[in-house]
Amino acid sequence: MIEIDSLTKRYGRHTVVDNLSFRCAPGEVLGFLGPNGAGKSTTMKMVTGFVAPSAGSVRVCGHDVQTDTLIAQRHIGYLPEGAPLYAEMTPRQFLEFIADVRELSGGRRQERLDEVIRQLHLGPVLNQSIDTLSKGFKRRVGLAQAILHDPDVLILDEPTDGLDPNQKHEVRELIRSMSKEKLIVISTHILEEVEAVCTRAIIIADGRLLVDDTPEALAAQGDGDLDEVFRRITQGDAPAPDQEDAA
Amino acid sequence: MNMIKALFRRELQSYFATPVAYVFIVIFLMLMGTFTFYLGGFYERGQADLRAFFNYHPWLYLFLVPAIAMRLWAEERKSGTVELLMTLPVTPLQAVLGKFLAAWAFAGIALLLTFPIWITVNYLGDPDNGAILAAYVGSFLMAGGFLAIGSCISAFTRNQVIAFVITVVVCFGFLLAGFPLVLDAFSGWAPQIIVDGIASLSFLTHFSDISRGVIDVRDLIYFALVIGTFLYANTIVLRWKQADL
């Protein structure tokens, strides 16, 4: 369960997230959409307790992220934008470090490590330094780190960015397979991804919530073309092909 | 405690995962040897003690310790891993302590590897080994003081070079706080009590007694306070920079 109430973030005079409110429940896969710079990542940073909001509140599984930061963070698995990793470590060292910090121990620790290594096909690169891995592998190490403690809430900032079509497909399958018991929020600007895995889509632009609907209902507005709907909503008028769109 | 241990292990591991650790240790030992035997005149003094060795520690630390400290937070910030770290269930204090202790342990390892000098002096004469041990403790504490300053400054920037240069300057100020170079800047206008206060902050004054083998509780408290203050400031900088990102 995530409850976001009047969440606002200002940097100087610039408002990045403007009075955003919504909630979502387990079983939902929420696609968080918007043009670049719309405030998607900032919202995610506030939900995960990295950035403090200027106003408003976020509760994760009933715990206020500002006051009960650590408890809320234990419920969250987070893949930050760009999947930052400790480059000099190997995936094995890195995942063991995450397991330590997540306080996994004994049989469960080994079980979870084996499970994520299998799910994300990290076996062949376990002892190679992360530095030397391809972008796809790095992204998968980032995902493995996020799901290692089997969290109730998964926040994934552009999880399939930089993956090839096969890897994208696998990550989407993984998200789908976990979606029953978890609450998953993914930010993306790949619209086909929303249709493929999300049960709900929220579109924001300039930090404000513009649309909150199912992907099917959204697509229906544009005669089945989500790109068209996205452009119309985020640019506030008919599509202008010469303007740079968010995709 | 387990959390600090996990962070400590990861950080220390990362020193040795790259050539940084080995380059640092080799340079550190070479400079220590050069200073002791050539500039310090270890043989010429003809005395069985390690004064020639310890006298140069503050000056070597001035450049070498900021080199260990500069990456602590600047690198995390640059690579974005600070976001990963601070969204794990870790408090800023745990993160600061884990990293600081790893850097301090690393400095300790480098310091321990100077043991051939201790063997040399014991082979040549009959030194006061208690005094030498005390001086090692003092040197280690001073390294901790420099590291805490460096760690705090590293949290301000994503640029390691900036972190290094500013740390050197601040540490230089702390080293010479008891000397005219620093005091003259204050004595013209500040009340005597402030000038005295600044003078008492000098690393050199506090280290010089310990390096002669005299462990005064006040010197120990002094270094503990420097470390504590800067690490606390470090957690504040971390929170502040984070809210601002």
Side-chain angles (χ1 to χ4, degrees):
Chain A
M1 187 76 166
I2 299 181
E3 299 154 86
I4 294 179
D5 279 309
S6 332
L7 194 66
T8 301
K9 182 68 194 178
R10 279 182 291 268
Y11 290 111
R13 272 176 306 173
H14 189 54
T15 304
V16 186
V17 176
D18 192 359
N19 207 15
L20 196 65
S21 299
F22 64 87
R23 46 201 59 202
C24 40
E28 277 187 313
V29 180
L30 177 67
F32 208 47
L33 300 166
N36 289 330
K40 301 187 298 280
S41 290
T42 307
T43 305
M44 292 183 148
K45 286 183 209 292
M46 288 193 280
V47 173
T48 53
F50 183 60
V51 166
S54 309
S57 72
V58 181
R59 295 170 72 81
V60 173
C61 299
H63 306 286
D64 190 305
V65 173
Q66 277 304 292
T67 54
D68 299 325
T69 316
L70 292 193
I71 305 174
Q73 284 173 339
R74 286 198 186 102
H75 288 280
I76 302 175
Y78 178 40
L79 175 72
E81 188 179 13
L85 302 164
Y86 290 109
E88 74 282 357
M89 299 176 100
T90 66
R92 185 191 295 282
Q93 289 171 334
F94 180 67
L95 291 175
E96 281 177 352
F97 163 67
I98 298 291
D100 287 340
V101 176
R102 292 292 187 184
E103 295 175 299
L104 298 173
S105 59
R108 178 164 158 72
R109 176 192 162 98
Q110 201 49 52
E111 191 185 301
R112 286 303 303 163
L113 282 169
D114 292 343
E115 172 78 3
V116 298
I117 288 166
R118 188 188 59 75
Q119 277 179 312
L120 290 149
H121 310 286
L122 293 175
V125 298
L126 270 185
N127 298 314
Q128 205 177 320
S129 95
I130 290 175
D131 230 0
T132 64
L133 300 182
S134 68
K135 204 172 169 190
F137 269 118
K138 284 181 186 163
R139 186 68 39 145
R140 282 189 271 166
V141 174
L143 274 165
Q145 162 276 126
I147 62 173
L148 184 62
H149 60 302
D150 197 15
D152 303 322
V153 173
L154 251 186
I155 313 252
L156 308 173
D157 202 342
E158 301 188 352
T160 59
D161 188 33
L163 300 185
D164 69 35
N166 294 336
Q167 295 166 337
K168 277 184 187 163
H169 179 75
E170 278 176 21
V171 168
R172 286 173 196 162
E173 286 299 315
L174 180 70
I175 292 173
R176 252 200 298 266
S177 73
M178 292 186 300
S179 65
K180 294 234 166 31
E181 65 273 33
K182 291 187 204 309
L183 191 179
I184 303 175
V185 181
I186 61 173
S187 90
T188 179
H189 43 229
I190 307 166
L191 296 166
E192 53 169 277
E193 194 156 294
V194 178
E195 293 182 286
V197 297
C198 296
T199 60
R200 178 179 167 192
I202 282 184
I203 300 182
I204 65 169
D206 293 325
R208 276 190 292 271
L209 193 149
L210 298 180
V211 172
D212 183 353
D213 213 335
T214 64
E216 294 78 26
L218 265 183
Q221 286 181 29
D223 302 322
D225 185 355
L226 251 174
D227 286 314
E228 165 87 27
V229 182
F230 181 84
R231 269 197 297 273
R232 199 188 308 146
I233 291 168
T234 55
Q235 294 179 343
D237 51 33
D242 55 332
Q243 276 179 24
E244 191 194 62
D245 66 31
Chain B
M1 208 53 217
N2 280 336
M3 206 63 83
I4 296 177
K5 210 166 80 190
L7 295 164
F8 172 87
R9 256 219 313 268
R10 196 211 71 73
E11 191 71 31
L12 195 58
Q13 212 173 37
S14 82
Y15 279 107
F16 289 97
T18 57
V20 174
Y22 305 102
V23 170
F24 179 88
I25 287 176
V26 168
I27 299 286
F28 177 79
L29 295 178
M30 273 169 47
L31 287 176
M32 279 293 182
T34 312
F35 274 78
T36 307
F37 292 105
Y38 292 95
L39 295 172
F42 176 73
Y43 292 122
E44 290 79 358
R45 293 176 73 238
Q47 286 181 25
D49 64 24
L50 286 182
R51 293 284 296 281
F53 170 61
F54 287 112
N55 273 343
Y56 290 98
H57 281 205
W59 303 104
L60 268 173
Y61 285 166
L62 179 59
F63 290 98
L64 292 180
V65 172
I68 310 179
M70 65 181 187
R71 52 176 291 284
L72 282 174
W73 289 102
E75 195 178 37
E76 295 256 357
R77 203 177 280 290
K78 176 128 188 156
S79 67
T81 47
V82 66
E83 182 169 358
L84 186 75
L85 181 63
M86 300 319 288
T87 53
L88 290 168
V90 171
T91 65
L93 183 63
Q94 287 170 334
V96 165
L97 281 179
K99 278 175 163 288
F100 167 77
L101 291 174
W104 204 13
F106 177 67
I109 292 169
L111 188 59
L112 280 180
L113 289 175
T114 60
F115 71 91
I117 289 184
W118 173 73
I119 292 176
T120 307
V121 77
N122 271 281
Y123 175 74
L124 292 173
D126 185 20
D128 178 353
N129 280 320
I132 290 177
L133 181 66
Y136 264 111
V137 170
S139 175
F140 184 54
L141 281 172
M142 185 169 59
F146 279 131
L147 272 176
I149 294 172
S151 176
C152 181
I153 290 171
S154 166
F156 275 98
T157 172
R158 58 175 63 221
N159 186 319
Q160 296 195 32
V161 177
I162 292 177
F164 175 81
V165 172
I166 295 180
T167 305
V168 170
V169 170
V170 172
C171 289
F172 189 62
F174 264 91
L175 263 187
L176 292 183
F179 292 77
L181 180 71
V182 172
L183 290 182
D184 284 352
F186 295 92
S187 56
W189 53 273
Q192 189 59 35
I193 185 161
I194 293 191
V195 177
D196 288 347
I198 292 168
S200 72
L201 286 179
S202 171
F203 270 32
L204 274 185
T205 328
H206 287 279
F207 179 66
S208 69
D209 287 342
I210 307 185
S211 74
R212 279 195 293 271
V214 186
I215 289 198
D216 185 332
V217 180
R218 279 173 303 180
D219 294 326
L220 300 186
I221 292 175
Y222 166 76
F223 283 116
L225 276 178
V226 169
I227 293 172
T229 308
F230 275 94
L231 291 186
Y232 180 66
N234 195 344
T235 64
I236 293 174
V237 174
L238 205 57
R239 275 181 214 268
W240 167 62
K241 281 302 229 182
Q242 206 172 302
D244 214 56
L245 212 79

